[in-house]
Amino acid sequence: MLKPLANRVIIEVNKEEEKTVGGIVLPSSAKEKSQTGVIVAVGEGLVTDQGTKIEMTVTVGDQVLFEKYAGTEITYDGKDYLVVKESDIVAIVD
């Protein structure tokens, strides 16, 4: 499994619906990128220049909302993930 470094997290992005409410099938070019997902791995936390460690506020399994153009998309073992900094996470969804 992937292990993020410092203040980064790995998110399994939720899939968007391929049909509209009216049943129209959307082509992949018309679909917007989802901004929600589940955290599958969390880094150790950020270490400041003074040597103080800032603990992560999110944990594995959290459902989160992240910024629209945040992170780096990767594929690992046939699954798509997004690697983002904790600061790119806007909210934890209950």
Side-chain angles (χ1 to χ4, degrees):
M1 185 62 187
L2 296 171
K3 182 173 172 81
L5 300 176
N7 65 333
R8 290 177 175 80
V9 299
I10 299 176
I11 299 173
E12 188 172 344
V13 179
N14 294 336
K15 300 289 182 195
E16 286 296 308
E17 289 292 322
E18 295 185 10
K19 291 184 180 180
T20 64
V21 175
I24 298 171
V25 177
L26 297 173
S28 60
S29 61
K31 289 185 251 178
E32 287 211 17
K33 179 178 152 187
S34 176
Q35 290 178 257
T36 61
V38 177
I39 295 178
V40 295
V42 177
E44 296 287 324
L46 183 65
V47 178
T48 66
D49 292 337
Q50 294 77 27
T52 305
K53 186 175 182 181
I54 301 172
E55 297 293 327
M56 301 290 280
T57 56
V58 294
T59 58
V60 172
D62 283 349
Q63 177 86 12
V64 294
L65 173 67
F66 51 88
E67 293 186 13
K68 189 168 190 159
Y69 299 106
T72 303
E73 295 176 351
I74 60 168
T75 300
Y76 180 76
D77 277 349
K79 288 184 126 182
D80 295 329
Y81 298 99
L82 186 67
V83 181
V84 300
K85 291 183 177 179
E86 186 182 31
S87 59
D88 291 330
I89 296 173
V90 178
I92 297 173
V93 182
D94 284 332

